[in-house]
Amino acid sequence: MAYTTIDDPSAHFQANAYSGASTQQTITNGGHSDLQPDLLWVKRRDSSYPHMLFDSSRGVNSSLSADATDVEDTTTTYLASFNSDGFTTGTDSALADSGRTFVAWQWKANGGSTSSNTDGDITSTVQVNATAKFSILTYTGNATDGNTVGHGLGVKPDIIIVKGNHGDYNWNNRHTALESLGNGYVVHLDLAGETWNETNKFTTTAPTTAVFSLGNHGTNISGTAHVAYCWTEVQGYSKFGSYTGNASTDGTFVYLGFKPAWLLIKRTDGSGNWILIDTKRDTHNVSFKDLNADRNAAEGGTAYYNMDLLSNGVKFRNLNAETNGSGTTYVYMAFAEQPFVTSGGVPCTAR
């Protein structure tokens, strides 16, 4: 048997559900390991507020909305600091409002320590978590079709998500499971639409262990700052793939090799919202409390999205076309709470 390479996923990813206090509030994580977030994604759950993304490369006061094409916001009252095991909110109601509920998803890169990367035609500023195969890079576009930019992972990225910070630009998501359609195919994190063949975003050239290729629009706007988040799959910690639904309460089973902590699903052959599930908001099966990455809407909770999060994957228990339509194809991103079997041979239990 091949064993996991990451025994403690909480050292690299953690979710945290918390209640607001209308003041600066320190949110401390509860995993086995301390985690200082370098990518922080926060959503207010009980009402219509944007999905807010912060990272330690752009700085604590710079936020982008995953559900919108908006320009980067530099409001100082959103987030006060990234901490050694969590973060401190500001006083804004988007992250801190008395008695309101929030969820925060956090990934570790390199503690905000960056370096210049000249592997590509365009120089990037990169920080990398070599163990979890995650990098954050920033660069300035030049609108030159086919130019490349270095990602710093040392392996081919499975997920590349790019946003132009200073204009009305989509979140462009290049997912490894779309390669069978062609390397120009993308899905937009901020849209419910189907997969698009947009070679002006990533071109038809596949990423390499050092760089990925840019088109002349969306990911490479001349003179505009961009941010990119890149991941490569790691056994027992992360999985990026696709599946086909069957429209049954005895639904499709997707093997991940770990107990999932966080799951993002998108239909690719038709319109459908991005479905976000995690184990901090839904602590028992059946899981159904969804948020939509492409919408600022409050958290939903109906049987439309029923699924079981198991010790080794996910089992769908619904007929909904956004996660389990008959013959419908989906892509997903998943991060682990616990590996199915550790490198020491210790199995995890179902919840």
Side-chain angles (χ1 to χ4, degrees), residues 260-290:
W262 186 90
L263 186 64
L264 177 63
I265 300 168
K266 177 68 179 76
R267 180 179 178 177
T268 61
D269 59 359
S271 182
N273 295 123
W274 291 80
I275 307 301
L276 267 166
I277 301 290
D278 67 76
T279 55
K280 292 299 182 180
R281 293 177 298 125
D282 247 331
T283 57
H284 302 283
N285 288 328
V286 175
S287 294
F288 56 82
K289 292 181 181 176
D290 74 289

Side-chain angles (χ1 to χ4, degrees), residues 4 19 27 35 46 52-53 68 79 99 139 177 211 244 248-249 261 275 301 303 310 329 340 344 347:
T4 178
S19 296
I27 307 302
L35 186 147
D46 57 8
M52 305 189 70
L53 272 68
L79 188 65
Y139 62 92
V211 301
T244 302
S248 170
T249 54
I275 307 301
L310 307 174
T329 57
F340 185 39

Side-chain angles (χ1 to χ4, degrees), residues 19-34:
S19 296
S22 294
T23 61
Q24 279 198 355
Q25 184 177 2
T26 297
I27 307 302
T28 302
N29 292 317
H32 298 107
S33 297
D34 290 349

Side-chain angles (χ1 to χ4, degrees), residues 147-351:
N147 266 195
T148 58
V149 63
H151 51 72
L153 288 173
V155 291
K156 178 183 172 182
D158 293 319
I159 301 290
I160 304 169
I161 301 175
V162 179
K163 175 72 172 73
N165 301 353
H166 300 143
D168 185 21
Y169 306 116
N170 294 115
W171 289 83
N172 297 287
N173 186 337
R174 188 193 182 282
H175 193 294
T176 183
L178 299 178
E179 289 181 3
S180 61
L181 301 176
N183 283 304
Y185 280 82
V186 299
V187 280
H188 301 297
L189 189 62
D190 54 292
L191 296 175
E194 61 188 309
T195 305
W196 292 91
N197 185 7
E198 294 183 318
T199 56
N200 63 347
K201 303 297 173 60
F202 291 110
T203 79
T204 57
T205 302
T208 73
T209 59
V211 301
F212 59 89
S213 297
L214 306 171
N216 56 19
H217 186 70
T219 60
N220 192 17
I221 303 101
S222 181
T224 293
H226 299 70
V227 64
Y229 306 120
C230 300
W231 287 272
T232 298
E233 189 173 290
V234 177
Q235 183 179 346
Y237 167 72
S238 59
K239 186 78 173 174
F240 315 115
S242 64
Y243 67 92
T244 302
N246 66 3
S248 170
T249 54
D250 183 15
T252 297
F253 169 72
V254 178
Y255 178 79
L256 301 174
F258 52 77
K259 180 193 295 185
W262 186 90
L263 186 64
L264 177 63
I265 300 168
K266 177 68 179 76
R267 180 179 178 177
T268 61
D269 59 359
S271 182
N273 295 123
W274 291 80
I275 307 301
L276 267 166
I277 301 290
D278 67 76
T279 55
K280 292 299 182 180
R281 293 177 298 125
D282 247 331
T283 57
H284 302 283
N285 288 328
V286 175
S287 294
F288 56 82
K289 292 181 181 176
D290 74 289
L291 288 164
N292 302 138
D294 56 299
R295 299 170 64 232
N296 67 6
E299 178 180 274
T302 71
Y304 290 132
Y305 301 111
N306 278 357
M307 62 186 78
D308 289 336
L309 303 182
L310 307 174
S311 61
N312 60 353
V314 56
K315 171 78 169 178
F316 293 94
R317 300 289 188 184
N318 68 76
L319 286 67
N320 190 281
E322 289 187 321
T323 58
N324 192 35
S326 179
T328 300
T329 57
Y330 305 86
V331 293
Y332 65 86
M333 296 175 61
F335 293 91
E337 177 180 312
Q338 187 178 349
F340 185 39
V341 180
T342 71
S343 58
V346 178
C348 80
T349 57
R351 57 182 191 151

